[in-house]
Every structure is written in C-alpha cells, then in structure tokens.
Amino acid sequence: MPHLISTVDVRPRVSYRTIQIGPILFEETPAEDDVVQIPGDGWSLTSSDNDFYPLVRLETWDGPAPKPTGAWNYERAFRSRMADRLAVVDLNGVDYGEIALRPGRYHLRLLCRGRDHLEAPLALDPFPPDGPHEDPLEVWVVQMWPDR
C-alpha cells in the first residue's frame, strides 16, 4: 500500500485567474485545455475567479496515490521528469511554498473542485481581499509518485 511521503498546503493569491506550478520538465508537451496550459517548464492553472486565495495541496507518495475522497470537477494525469522541488508561484513571482522531490520521472495527478462557484471576468477586483477566506472556494490537489 502506498504511503504519503510529504505534503504542503498553500494559499496563493490568484490574479488574472492564474496559478503557476513548476518546474515540470515535460519531454513531450501534453495537450492544453481550458484549465491547464503548459508554458515553458510548468503548469499555468486557470482558476474560476480573480483576487482570492484557493487551497493548493502538493503531495508526494512512494507509489500510486489513492484518489482523495469527495467529488472533483476536474482530473487529469501526466508523466514527466521532475527536478528537486515543485513550487506554487503567483504571476508576480511570489513563491507561496514548495515541496522537495527526488529528481526523476513521476506520475502526476491534478484534481480540482470548486471552479463552478463563479466564473469571473479577467478584470481584477478594485478592492481585493487582504488574505485568504477561512473556507477556500476552490481546491487543487497535485499528487506525485515515482514512475518506475
């Protein structure tokens, strides 16, 4: 049975509906969709809202990770080489947290729920919140385990 090695929860500030996660060293760039874009060495995740703080959880496992319980609106799987860390960064380059990795090839599972709470325009809020709401409106989970 696979074991959770490490996890980190971060609450990045979303601007222009974008959350950035990387580096992810794709040997062959996967197809993009309306949720995940693959610019350079990482993911650009499209949130449903602006000027808020979703929950982003990064998990490393020693084997195939069990899917978290609950309903998920989005799920996608990837394979990629990974460097020694994976970080969550906002559009201004602020690093909100990272998880350490052993460099190598990994399976990655990306899950999201809560994107249906609101479809915001791209315009930023003139009076954005100063910090996260107690209960995140949107939750993202990135699970990683070695590709053996």
Side-chain angles (χ1 to χ4, degrees), residues 100-135:
L101 297 170
R102 178 173 288 160
R105 293 189 51 78
Y106 281 81
H107 289 272
L108 295 96
R109 177 187 294 139
L110 175 65
L111 301 150
C112 182
R113 69 170 158 236
R115 291 185 78 249
D116 54 355
H117 78 274
L118 172 69
E119 186 70 23
L122 283 178
L124 296 179
D125 186 339
F127 304 103
D130 291 334
H133 297 292
E134 193 171 307
D135 184 23

Side-chain angles (χ1 to χ4, degrees), residues 79-106:
R79 280 184 159 154
S80 178
R81 286 185 305 110
M82 302 294 286
D84 61 350
R85 65 182 182 86
L86 187 69
V88 179
V89 182
D90 72 11
L91 285 177
N92 294 317
V94 175
D95 188 332
Y96 282 85
E98 64 183 47
I99 197 164
L101 297 170
R102 178 173 288 160
R105 293 189 51 78
Y106 281 81

